[in-house]
């Protein structure tokens, strides 16, 4: 490349043949693949620069020295790269809090975006939902760089029917407000929503290039869990709820919802909604009731509490330390208060992920971690040594699964009380002390006796020689 302030001097960036070609400013970036060459075909490559910097501005030259057996000439081409400040901003006025909406209710999502650039650039804004496809995101509707409203294929019919709209509003402060509305949410609309803004610029060849992008999570939406028609037919909002719950009419005017095997992900606000329909009306999902009313929300909090080390025999050096971590789903008011927090930063011993993968961090002792029941986890330190003594605790993170099988962290965490593990000396170790003391004492006594006997014998011998 040739920087604008380098006076025409060349700077090596990267070479497909010479690993020592990059100059010092590019060496570390080439090593970590931040700057790299990608080959599209035998005679077509492209230079990729991630995390573009202001000093990357300049003229870039692609140079291909001849590698033929006979000289055919050298070839090169150049392009000017300009780097402009990243001024793309995105925000929202309010987020989804997980408050459930009944089917048929209206959902409004807002997102503000702006750019401040001396260059002529365009802005596009898209609303989407996480976790619906293999790549993790599903597009719902967008306003493209030419200000056209473009619904995604899955939402084309609902857009044509006027159930989904997106408009741009000019507001004070330099940021434009984008408002998406869903008139009549459906059970499949539950999930985590986001807003994405992109900045575009038009190259001299009239092609559009995306030069900046920002994504902002708006929050999670839940739609009514279960529904009973006037005929008594029960339908569920998602496949996971079906089969682990029941909605029943127990008497005139009284209905009960029961959920079995609840998880922390089931925490939230629950309410019931009652709708009245005109008689002799075909009750299709799109039929509007003549009157509806809903109850106040009931907040349900589920937390995970974990138990302490079970009682057992005394632990000795060389024994196996066994810690059982029991998760217990219960209302928040029933969760016992933990002990005083640990003063030192805990060191991880082992983890067992939500997908069953175990990871051990200990380098000294043999450690294993497994799940022994649906609600019990076990940590074992085999042939425990003195360095394995200390405070132990269990940390739990609750993960959930959406209707499409994708895992997500619910954000619910719990920590057990701390357990002190102390290793007593083994019996053979305890015998070693008196053995050493005994041998030392016996040796000392023996030396004293031998010295006394020798001394007396020598005196007696000396007296006999004197008499002679």
């Amino acid at each position: 490349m040739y920087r604008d302030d380098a006076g025409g001097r060349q700077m090596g960036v990267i070479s497909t043949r010479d690993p020592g070609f990059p100059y010092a400013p590019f060496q570390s970036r080439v090593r970590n693949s931040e700057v790299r060459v990608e080959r599209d075909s035998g005679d077509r490559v492209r230079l990729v620069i991630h995390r573009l910097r202001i000093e990357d501005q300049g003229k870039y030259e692609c140079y291909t020295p001849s590698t033929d057996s006979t000289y055919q000439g050298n070839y090169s081409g150049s392009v000017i790269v300009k780097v402009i400040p990243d001024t793309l901003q995105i925000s929202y006025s309010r987020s989804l809090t997980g408050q459930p909406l009944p089917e048929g209710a209206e959902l409004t999502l807002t997102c503000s975006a702006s750019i401040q650039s001396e260059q002529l650039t365009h802005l596009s804004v898209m609303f989407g939902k996480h976790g619906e496809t293999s790549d993790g995101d599903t597009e719902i509707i967008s306003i493209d760089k030419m200000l056209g409203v473009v619904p995604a294929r899955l939402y084309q019919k609902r857009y044509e029917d006027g159930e989904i709209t997106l408009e741009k509003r000019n507001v004070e402060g330099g940021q434009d407000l984008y408002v998406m509305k869903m008139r009549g949410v459906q059970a499949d609309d539950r999930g985590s929503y986001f807003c994405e803004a992109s900045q575009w610029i038009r190259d001299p060849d009239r092609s559009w290039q995306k030069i900046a992008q920002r994504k902002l999570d708006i929050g999670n939406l839940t739609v009514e869990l279960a529904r009973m028609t006037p005929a008594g037919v029960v339908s569920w909002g998602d496949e996971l709820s079906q089969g682990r719950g029941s909605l029943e009419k127990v008497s005139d005017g009284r209905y009960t919802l029961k959920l079995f095997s609840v998880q922390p992900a089931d925490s939230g606000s629950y309410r019931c909604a009652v709708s009245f329909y005109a008689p002799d009306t075909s009750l299709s999902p799109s039929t509007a009731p003549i009157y509806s009313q809903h109850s106040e929300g009931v907040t349900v909090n589920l937390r995970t509490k974990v138990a302490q080390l079970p009682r057992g025999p005394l632990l000795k050096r060389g024994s196996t330390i066994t810690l059982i971590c029991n998760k217990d789903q219960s209302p928040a008011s029933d969760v016992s208060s933990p002990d005083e927090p640990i003063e030192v930063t805990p060191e991880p011993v082992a983890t067992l992920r939500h997908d069953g993968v175990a990871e051990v961090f200990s380098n000294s002792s043999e450690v294993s971690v497994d799940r022994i029941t649906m609600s019990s986890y076990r940590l074992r330190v085999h042939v425990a040594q003195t360095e394995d003594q200390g405070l132990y605790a269990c940390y739990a993170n609750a993960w959930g699964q959406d209707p499409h099988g994708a895992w997500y962290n619910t954000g619910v965490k719990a920590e057990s009380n701390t357990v002190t593990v102390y290793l007593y000396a083994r019996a053979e170790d305890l015998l070693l002390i008196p053995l050493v003391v005994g041998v030392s004492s016996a040796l000392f006594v023996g030396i004293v006796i031998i010295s006394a006997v020798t001394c007396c014998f020598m005196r007696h011998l000396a007296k006999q020689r004197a008499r002679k």
Side-chain angles (χ1 to χ4, degrees):
M1 72 169 295
Y2 302 85
R3 286 181 174 168
D4 298 339
D5 57 354
R9 293 190 301 273
Q10 174 185 294
M11 178 179 293
V13 178
I14 190 172
S15 169
T16 60
R17 187 173 63 173
D18 182 7
F21 182 76
Y23 279 34
F26 289 97
Q27 287 176 0
S28 62
R29 300 173 71 184
V30 170
R31 281 197 300 267
N32 61 25
S33 298
E34 183 179 320
V35 177
R36 65 179 184 271
V37 168
E38 295 179 351
R39 188 178 295 275
D40 295 331
S41 62
D43 58 354
R44 180 182 177 88
V45 298
R46 50 195 161 97
L47 173 67
V48 179
I49 302 178
H50 281 291
R51 290 182 285 275
L52 201 66
R53 305 172 182 177
I54 192 67
E55 59 266 25
D56 292 331
Q57 179 168 296
K59 183 176 75 171
Y60 285 78
E61 181 184 26
C62 172
Y63 179 75
T64 61
S66 176
T67 57
D68 298 328
S69 58
T70 59
Y71 182 75
Q72 301 290 336
N74 295 329
Y75 304 91
S76 67
S78 61
V79 64
I80 300 295
V81 174
K82 293 184 178 180
V83 181
I84 63 175
D86 184 4
T87 61
L88 178 60
Q89 295 182 348
I90 185 173
S91 63
Y92 58 79
S93 56
R94 64 184 182 88
S95 63
L96 294 170
T97 60
Q99 177 71 25
L101 289 177
E103 286 184 283
E106 181 177 279
L107 171 67
T108 300
L109 300 178
T110 62
C111 179
S112 298
S114 67
I115 47 177
Q116 302 292 333
S117 175
E118 296 179 357
Q119 303 290 327
L120 180 59
T121 59
H122 289 209
L123 189 65
S124 67
V125 172
M126 182 264 287
F127 285 88
K129 189 170 61 165
H130 291 302
E132 294 294 327
T133 60
S134 58
D135 61 2
D137 292 339
T138 295
E139 182 177 340
I140 299 175
I141 194 170
S142 64
I143 290 183
D144 64 13
K145 50 189 172 292
M146 303 305 295
L147 300 181
V149 179
V150 182
R153 182 179 59 84
L154 293 175
Y155 295 87
Q156 181 73 36
K157 180 64 167 57
R158 296 174 67 181
Y159 171 75
E160 294 174 352
D161 294 340
E163 296 181 4
I164 297 179
T165 62
L166 177 59
E167 61 175 328
K168 175 185 175 183
R169 300 176 184 174
N170 295 323
V171 296
E172 297 180 358
Q175 284 197 332
D176 295 323
L177 182 66
Y178 298 83
V179 181
M180 185 194 79
K181 289 186 178 180
M182 281 187 173
R183 297 184 176 93
V185 296
Q186 303 174 5
D188 291 339
D189 293 328
R190 65 194 298 266
S192 179
Y193 285 78
F194 67 90
C195 173
E196 182 178 278
S198 301
Q199 185 180 8
W200 300 80
I201 194 169
R202 202 165 195 176
D203 281 348
D205 63 358
R206 311 297 292 174
S207 64
W208 287 97
Q209 300 291 333
K210 184 188 295 186
I211 60 175
Q213 181 174 296
R214 294 284 188 278
K215 182 182 290 186
L216 188 67
D217 288 333
I218 301 177
N220 191 64
L221 170 71
T222 56
V223 181
E224 189 175 80
L225 184 64
R227 182 173 184 264
M228 178 183 291
T229 68
V233 178
V234 177
S235 60
W236 293 86
D238 62 276
E239 297 176 358
L240 290 179
S241 299
Q242 188 175 8
R244 67 182 189 94
S246 67
L247 176 60
E248 302 172 347
K249 180 179 181 180
V250 293
S251 63
D252 288 339
R254 183 176 178 84
Y255 300 81
T256 62
L257 171 69
K258 296 179 180 179
L259 293 181
F260 315 110
S261 302
V262 293
Q263 300 293 329
D266 295 315
S267 298
S269 179
Y270 289 76
R271 65 178 181 177
C272 66
V274 180
S275 299
F276 297 90
Y277 296 86
D280 302 327
T281 302
S282 61
L283 296 177
S284 64
S286 60
T287 302
I290 59 176
Y291 178 72
S292 295
Q293 190 174 15
H294 60 79
S295 69
E296 294 294 330
V298 176
T299 301
V300 176
N301 290 323
L302 293 171
R303 298 179 183 174
T304 300
K305 66 179 182 180
V306 287
Q308 296 185 6
L309 177 70
R311 296 182 179 224
L314 295 178
L315 295 175
K316 301 179 179 63
R317 190 169 61 85
S319 301
T320 297
I321 301 173
T322 301
L323 291 160
I324 305 296
C325 178
N326 297 316
K327 70 173 186 176
D328 181 19
Q329 311 297 341
S330 59
S333 58
D334 293 340
V335 178
S336 58
S337 301
D339 290 346
E340 292 297 322
I342 306 174
E343 296 293 336
V344 297
T345 302
E347 297 180 1
V349 178
T351 62
L352 187 62
R353 296 190 338 201
H354 60 278
D355 55 2
V357 177
E359 185 174 2
V360 176
F361 299 94
S362 176
N363 295 323
S364 57
S365 302
E366 291 291 331
V367 176
S368 63
V369 59
D370 56 358
R371 186 177 187 178
I372 53 179
T373 67
M374 287 296 293
S375 59
S376 295
Y377 301 82
R378 177 176 58 187
L379 169 71
R380 286 182 291 181
V381 181
H382 307 276
V383 194
Q385 302 300 318
T386 305
E387 55 266 26
D388 297 316
Q389 297 182 138
L391 296 174
Y392 284 78
C394 173
Y395 299 85
N397 290 310
W399 287 69
Q401 215 171 4
D402 63 23
H404 300 272
W407 288 97
Y408 64 94
N409 193 334
T410 65
V412 179
K413 299 180 180 180
E415 177 183 346
S416 73
N417 298 335
T418 58
V419 175
T420 302
V421 173
Y422 178 78
L423 299 176
Y424 292 90
R426 296 176 298 183
E428 51 267 35
D429 296 334
L430 296 175
L431 290 174
L432 182 62
I433 298 175
L435 179 62
V436 172
V437 174
V439 170
S440 302
S441 301
L443 184 60
F444 175 75
V445 172
I447 293 174
V448 172
I449 294 174
I450 293 173
S451 300
V453 172
T454 303
C455 179
C456 295
F457 176 77
M458 294 300 293
R459 283 181 188 172
H460 180 70
L461 186 60
K463 289 180 181 181
Q464 288 184 347
R465 287 180 178 176
R467 290 173 185 172
K468 293 180 178 179

